[in-house]
């Protein structure tokens, strides 16, 4: 039976539309929450602790979230996770607008948001293959990733406008500046979650295959997912490789780029915004171009990813000598372009390769390599900057990535991966 084009696939349109609204809404909280903490405390240390309160449980519970998705259903888990986020963000909005907000509440809600997100991420990734045909996954993932990058462009600017427009204390909280704008920013995110819940509830999925009775607890299911990855040599190799990339790219860029903008570029914080926007724009283009690139390399996905990453490493080395915002933006746009192609290609390959009853756990492991190891790598990079210069950090991380990528070209498990090898595994 032929599948409708994505534009005519009602289920995909509902999922895409709801996810898009939620992505844009997320940007309001991502901007408003740090601003709220700084207005309440004036302490960057408190801000770091709040962000860690969100990030650590998200990373720890993401593997468990994948097991829960596989045991129940991706749609049900996503509905519950987004519903929980809607309630918590709405509570933030209400407390800010009424002046009842305090830091203990901020910590508690940040913890809850991080936990809900740990289940939402693998559920969202595992749901997509249920609404589109396998041959449409590359295009569908590109559309999703492209909209996410677009939300990173537009969302923060809109959030800044909303918060700035309410730059006065609300009647109930004379001590909290920007309370009115902050409250409305959280309210907009809560409304976006509500819209995405309605859209998701309208999605109609084909009957799922009967799920076998679970003989082990959640921990046993997590271990089963890890054993499944370990038993698939190409998948295992790519997971390990993704972890390495997260360490050598995410850590140095998260810490190094703000330091670079502050100490060496010509426009300070404005330069940082331009550089990050260039990286996001590159990823947006890379996501849309990923299908075309995959066809041009004739399905040689492994060799393509390794060669692209080797080039990204050289771009990081080049950042060591940059003093110009334009040049830094060019290099980050280049890395974003390759990164967008790699992400869409890798995610689509995994979604096509892995059996549906293992997909939630598999995607949770992949996301853990980025969202779990990334913050740890950033902390390590910050510590290294006390021992070495910023140029040395970029050179060391870039050369390490290039060397590892080129070295992995000698590994058949990685180099020989092709899109034709992506048939779902059984067993």
């Amino acid at each position: 039976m032929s599948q409708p084009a994505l534009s005519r696939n009602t289920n995909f349109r509902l999922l895409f539309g709801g996810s898009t609204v939620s992505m844009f809404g997320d940007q309001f909280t991502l901007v408003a929450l740090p601003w709220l903490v700084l207005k309440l405390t004036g302490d960057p240390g408190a801000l770091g602790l709040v962000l860690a309160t969100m990030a650590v449980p998200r990373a720890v519970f993401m593997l468990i979230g994948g097991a829960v998705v596989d045991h129940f259903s991706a749609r049900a888990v996503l509905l519950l996770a987004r519903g929980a986020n809607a309630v918590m963000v709405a509570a933030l909005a209400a407390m800010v607008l009424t002046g009842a907000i305090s830091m203990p509440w901020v910590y508690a809600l940040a913890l809850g948001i991080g936990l809900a997100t740990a289940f939402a991420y693998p559920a969202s990734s595992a749901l997509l293959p249920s609404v589109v045909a396998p041959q449409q996954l590359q295009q569908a993932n590109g559309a999703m990733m492209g909209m996410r990058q677009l939300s990173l462009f537009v969302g923060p600017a809109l959030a800044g406008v909303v918060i700035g427009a309410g730059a006065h204390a609300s009647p109930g909280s004379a001590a909290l500046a920007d309370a009115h704008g902050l409250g409305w920013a959280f309210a907009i995110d809560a409304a976006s979650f509500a819209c995405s819940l309605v859209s998701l509830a309208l999605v109609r999925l084909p009957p799922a295959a009967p799920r076998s009775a679970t003989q082990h607890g959640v921990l046993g299911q997590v271990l089963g997912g890890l054993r499944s990855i370990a038993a698939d040599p190409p998948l295992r190799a790519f997971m390990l490789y993704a972890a390495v990339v997260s360490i050598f790219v995410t850590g140095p860029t998260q810490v190094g780029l703000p330091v670079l903008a502050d100490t060496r570029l010509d426009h300070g914080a404005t330069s940082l915004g331009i550089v990050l926007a260039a990286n996001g724009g590159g990823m947006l283009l890379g996501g849309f171009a990923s299908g075309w690139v995959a066809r041009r390399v004739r399905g040689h996905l492994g060799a393509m990813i390794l060669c692209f990453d080797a080039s990204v490493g050289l771009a990081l080395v080049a950042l060591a000598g940059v003093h110009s915002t334009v040049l830094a933006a060019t290099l980050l746009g280049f890395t974003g372009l390759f990164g967008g192609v790699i992400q869409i290609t890798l995610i689509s390959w995994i979604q096509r390769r892995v059996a549906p009853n293992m997909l939630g756990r598999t995607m949770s492991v992949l996301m853990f390599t980025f969202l779990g190891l990334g913050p740890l790598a950033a902390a390590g990079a910050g510590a290294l900057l006390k021992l070495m210069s910023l140029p040395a950090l970029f050179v060391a991380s870039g050369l390490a990535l290039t060397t590892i990528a080129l070295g992995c070209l000698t590994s058949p498990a990685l180099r020989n991966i092709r899109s034709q090898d992506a048939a779902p595994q059984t067993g």
Side-chain angles (χ1 to χ4, degrees), residues 155-174:
L158 293 176
V161 170
V162 169
I163 295 171
H168 58 274
S170 65
S173 180

Side-chain angles (χ1 to χ4, degrees), residues 67-88:
V68 171
V69 168
D70 287 336
H71 182 61
F72 295 99
S73 82
R75 180 172 173 270
V77 173
L78 188 56
L79 278 167
L80 288 173
R82 286 185 176 174
N85 269 328
V87 170
M88 289 182 285

Side-chain angles (χ1 to χ4, degrees), residues 118-217:
F119 292 87
Y121 278 171
S124 179
S125 296
L127 180 60
L128 187 59
S130 299
V131 301
V132 302
Q135 63 269 25
Q136 294 176 318
L137 277 171
Q138 187 91 16
Q139 183 184 0
N141 278 311
M144 288 287 195
M145 182 68 71
M147 193 54 64
R148 180 174 296 280
Q149 295 303 322
L150 184 61
S151 73
L152 293 174
F153 275 133
V154 180
L158 293 176
V161 170
V162 169
I163 295 171
H168 58 274
S170 65
S173 180
L176 179 60
D178 300 341
H180 189 72
L182 284 166
W184 278 110
F186 289 125
I188 290 171
D189 190 18
S192 77
F193 276 120
C195 291
S196 71
L197 286 171
V198 173
S199 177
L200 186 59
L202 294 174
V203 172
R204 294 292 178 261
L205 300 178
R211 296 174 183 268
S212 57
T214 303
Q215 299 180 357
H216 305 284

